[in-house]
Amino acid sequence: ESRGYDVSMEEYEKFVDNPALGGWKAVNYAKYKKLCANHLEFFKLFEGYEGFFKKINYCPAEEAIKAIKDAGGIPVLAHPGADFYGEDYQKVIHDMIDNGIMGLECYHPDNSREVTEYSLKICKKKGLLITTGSDCHGGFVSSRKLRNPPVTLDMLNLEGLL
């Protein structure tokens, strides 16, 4: 089914993606074609196309956390304020703690002040790691730049990592 977009698979396959832009070739192609300005608008292009994006069935959090620990890693919940977790970020945080998570990415561009403060409070109360990340993907997501959010080492708890 077509929505009248001036695109073709042949043109897409010939499209040379610029890795410096970050993100995915499909998004960068759509931006090149002026169909969207960013990754959020890209996904809206497919609204109403049921089954276009197949939902990935990930393993249960407990299983993933165990695998990370068994491999010598330290499981940390990334950007608990991201919209894909849903509105009840507090439940997500507590569920992940119950499953053995060892830290929270308290500082992240997608975390609101409320999420950051709540995450910090929980980490301090439970002795969890406090981490940060810009989630920078080049120019792919404009709010995600290096040094955003501005965090210094004394704001983190990286005990056992340094």
Side-chain angles (χ1 to χ4, degrees):
E1 181 180 343
S2 172
R3 291 192 174 183
Y5 300 138
D6 180 26
V7 297
S8 73
M9 198 60 178
E10 180 181 342
E11 182 183 43
Y12 172 77
E13 288 173 356
K14 290 179 183 176
F15 176 74
V16 178
D17 192 22
N18 178 356
L21 297 174
W24 310 296
K25 178 180 178 178
V27 175
N28 291 330
Y29 174 71
K31 287 167 64 176
Y32 165 76
K33 296 296 288 185
K34 299 190 181 346
L35 298 173
C36 63
N38 56 50
H39 69 291
L40 298 174
E41 289 180 13
F42 172 79
F43 289 110
K44 289 181 181 177
L45 294 172
F46 301 98
E47 288 177 352
Y49 282 97
E50 299 302 320
F52 183 82
F53 288 108
K54 294 188 182 352
K55 183 172 169 54
I56 297 172
N57 292 317
Y58 295 103
C59 67
E62 182 177 303
E63 187 178 321
I65 291 167
K66 181 182 181 320
I68 292 167
K69 288 179 176 179
D70 287 350
I74 298 172
V76 173
L77 177 63
H79 34 72
D83 59 1
F84 53 76
Y85 288 126
E87 291 185 27
D88 195 354
Y89 68 90
Q90 292 180 9
K91 180 179 180 346
V92 171
I93 288 171
H94 288 283
D95 286 349
M96 294 302 279
I97 290 170
D98 290 346
N99 282 302
I101 208 85
M102 297 170 70
L104 299 174
E105 186 180 32
C106 296
Y107 301 102
H108 183 277
D110 287 350
N111 289 353
S112 67
R113 174 181 230 107
E114 176 186 321
V115 170
T116 296
E117 289 173 0
Y118 185 81
S119 298
L120 288 168
K121 181 177 96 176
I122 293 299
C123 285
K124 290 173 183 173
K125 179 179 177 184
K126 298 197 174 272
L128 301 174
L129 296 173
I130 297 171
T131 70
T132 185
S134 67
D135 212 354
C136 182
H137 292 265
F140 184 58
V141 181
S142 61
S143 66
R144 296 180 182 173
K145 295 182 171 56
L146 296 178
R147 295 187 215 99
N148 179 30
V151 176
T152 56
L153 192 55
D154 62 306
M155 297 166 68
L156 305 175
N157 173 13
L158 303 176
E159 190 174 320
L161 297 178
L162 300 175

